[in-house]
Amino acid sequence: MITAERKPMDEIMESIDGCGRILLVGCNECVTVCAAGGRKEVALLASALQMASMKKGRALDVREMTLERQCDPEYVEELAPHIGQVDAVLSMACGCGVQEIARRFKTTRVFPALNTTFMGASEGPGIWAERCQGCGDCLLGLTGGICPIARCAKRLMNGPCGGSGNGKCEISDDVDCAWHLIWERMKELGIEDRYEDVISAKDWRTGRGGGPRRIVREDLK
Amino acid sequence: MQRFEPTIVAFCCHYCAYTAADMAGSMRLAYPPNVKILRVPCSGKVDAIHIMKALEKGADGVLVAGCLEGDCHFKNGNVKALQRVTYLQRFLEEIGIEPERVQMVTMSAGMGSRFAKIAAEFTDTMRELGPSPVKAGDRMEPCAKAS
Ligand code: SF4
Ligand code: SF4
């Protein structure tokens, strides 16, 4: 999923300063699962914003809406009847959702309430960790299902650096060394001999190196 | 000058604090009428939004009262409630509301006197803190016109 975290309240409040009516829009997908921008978080932020402005003796009208998906125009359209009644939209979706709203409603300001962080997985209640950087040419099949691009601090492709120690990465004892994980996994799979197969230099054009990417499926158009 | 009387909402777990409050009554122990009790099936049932709404709608302080550690009828609802209260205290701080306005307390069903003592102490703390800054909203002016 795409993970995100709420921005500091100061930053959020500064962005909507001067607005009397805002539409606070959550998303039912990834940001709901990572407890950053679902219906619950929308209600909590709405209440916090109300209180913060009441504290200043000002009225703020916060309308709450949570879309099925903020990155799909079909759902973003549901905001159309409300857009004219507000000064700005505050989005609690990932950056894709914020941009979809900006694309559809050309004359309405839209601010992000979240910092979109990474594509990751849940390691347990309240813990999410980075797993994939969308390189566009997945090599998990060569590395025992552990991504050295997203999980190695140096994105090394052929074994660990000299900083790997006791299974941890040199950047922090809280971070597993990706190449240690890959080695352990290969041992478990009984394919240690494949560890020394050289992975050729990666062509980063399939990733961000090739500029903004699009997927076009003629059969679905 | 009239003394400030805070409004306090206490979310009380059915299995402990609610019964303790009842016991305080049967023991003829007085506790401040400022404390308005809301019975919940478990302190873990109290969501962050319930506490926020209580504060938004005019409470000066909120108590979440659950069972003693290890005694939760639903295993760990009280531990979860404490985590939520701690999270919310930091959130409130971010918007300039004193985190002390929300407290988690624990007790057993038999601790009537502990309930009365906590209720009195918390009421005193809220009196000292003064009215919730959110109440400035009673004199609200619109801050901008919608375009
Ligand atoms: S190799 Fe590329 S696509 Fe596969 S998990 Fe890593 S970053 Fe994602
Ligand atoms: S210690 Fe491991 S994870 Fe960290 S940079 Fe070196 S090889 Fe990558």
Side-chain angles (χ1 to χ4, degrees):
Chain A
M1 82 186 91
I2 293 175
T3 60
E5 285 178 295
R6 176 175 55 76
K7 281 179 175 289
M9 286 303 289
D10 277 348
E11 189 183 336
I12 296 176
M13 291 189 291
E14 202 185 311
S15 66
I16 57 161
D17 193 35
C19 296
R21 284 186 201 144
I22 61 159
L23 189 57
L24 181 58
V25 190
C27 176
N28 263 342
E29 299 281 348
C30 309
V31 289
T32 294
V33 184
C34 69
R39 192 165 285 131
K40 255 188 170 182
E41 292 74 32
V42 164
L44 215 55
L45 182 60
S47 182
L49 289 171
Q50 289 284 5
M51 283 200 265
S53 62
M54 283 157 95
K55 203 175 145 251
K56 293 183 190 148
R58 292 194 204 152
L60 177 67
D61 181 355
V62 185
R63 303 183 183 181
E64 302 170 34
M65 267 185 97
T66 300
L67 304 180
E68 201 51 41
R69 263 196 307 281
Q70 231 180 89
C71 53
D72 259 333
E74 287 84 349
Y75 298 110
V76 171
E77 200 55 37
E78 290 170 20
L79 301 178
H82 310 274
I83 264 318
Q85 299 158 27
V86 296
D87 299 317
V89 174
L90 186 58
S91 165
M92 291 195 90
C94 71
C96 311
V98 180
Q99 292 182 62
E100 265 313 289
I101 294 179
R103 186 169 78 97
R104 168 63 183 84
F105 304 106
K106 305 261 184 279
T107 56
T108 306
R109 288 178 300 165
V110 49
F111 301 105
L114 304 184
N115 288 325
T116 306
T117 28
F118 52 76
M119 279 191 271
S122 169
E123 287 187 345
I127 306 171
W128 295 272
E130 184 157 23
R131 290 286 186 267
C132 172
Q133 290 198 345
C135 73
D137 184 14
C138 193
L139 45 79
L140 287 174
L142 304 175
T143 57
I146 291 149
C147 174
I149 298 168
R151 302 177 70 177
C152 164
K154 294 176 184 148
R155 302 183 177 191
L156 297 179
M157 296 294 169
N158 287 288
C161 72
S164 178
N166 300 322
K168 298 293 171 188
C169 172
E170 65 178 348
I171 62 160
S172 161
D173 285 346
D174 296 333
V175 179
D176 291 325
C177 167
W179 278 101
H180 176 85
L181 295 177
I182 292 169
W183 169 246
E184 291 297 321
R185 172 95 173 130
M186 284 186 159
K187 273 200 301 190
E188 267 180 40
L189 294 173
I191 52 168
E192 299 100 306
D193 53 315
R194 304 254 299 269
Y195 187 76
E196 290 194 7
D197 289 356
V198 174
I199 298 178
S200 53
K202 197 162 169 64
D203 181 350
W204 292 102
R205 283 173 301 183
T206 56
R208 276 287 303 154
R213 293 166 283 175
R214 286 174 93 201
I215 295 173
V216 180
R217 282 270 307 268
E218 295 298 337
D219 58 320
L220 297 175
K221 270 169 129 182
Chain B
M1 206 181 95
Q2 246 192 333
R3 185 164 74 151
F4 161 62
E5 288 299 343
T7 301
I8 290 158
V9 172
F11 293 100
C12 293
C13 159
H14 165 80
Y15 292 98
C16 55
Y18 187 79
T19 315
D22 201 18
M23 175 157 285
S26 341
M27 288 163 80
R28 302 277 182 269
L29 293 171
Y31 64 86
N34 309 56
V35 180
K36 321 279 183 232
I37 294 175
L38 270 167
R39 181 167 64 145
V40 287
C42 171
S43 57
K45 176 70 196 165
V46 183
D47 200 279
I49 192 67
H50 300 136
I51 302 173
M52 289 293 267
K53 282 288 169 197
L55 291 168
E56 187 189 323
K57 301 289 176 197
D60 298 289
V62 175
L63 277 175
V64 179
C67 300
L68 296 169
E69 215 185 308
D71 282 356
C72 173
H73 276 62
F74 302 96
K75 203 169 154 203
N76 58 0
N78 49 357
V79 177
K80 293 208 156 102
L82 175 61
Q83 286 168 342
R84 266 172 228 156
V85 165
T86 311
Y87 168 79
L88 214 60
Q89 284 172 329
R90 286 201 298 268
F91 196 7
L92 290 173
E93 227 172 345
E94 273 194 77
I95 53 169
I97 295 171
E98 304 89 339
E100 307 89 285
R101 292 194 184 274
V102 182
Q103 293 287 332
M104 169 86 197
V105 292
T106 56
M107 65 194 71
S108 75
M111 293 177 165
S113 50
R114 179 167 162 80
F115 179 87
K117 187 167 168 271
I118 286 173
E121 284 173 359
F122 191 68
T123 306
D124 277 345
T125 311
M126 290 309 111
R127 269 195 201 112
E128 275 163 35
L129 265 183
S132 158
V134 173
K135 286 188 170 163
D138 295 347
R139 312 176 296 272
M140 276 191 315
E141 292 165 17
C143 74
K145 287 206 168 62
S147 47

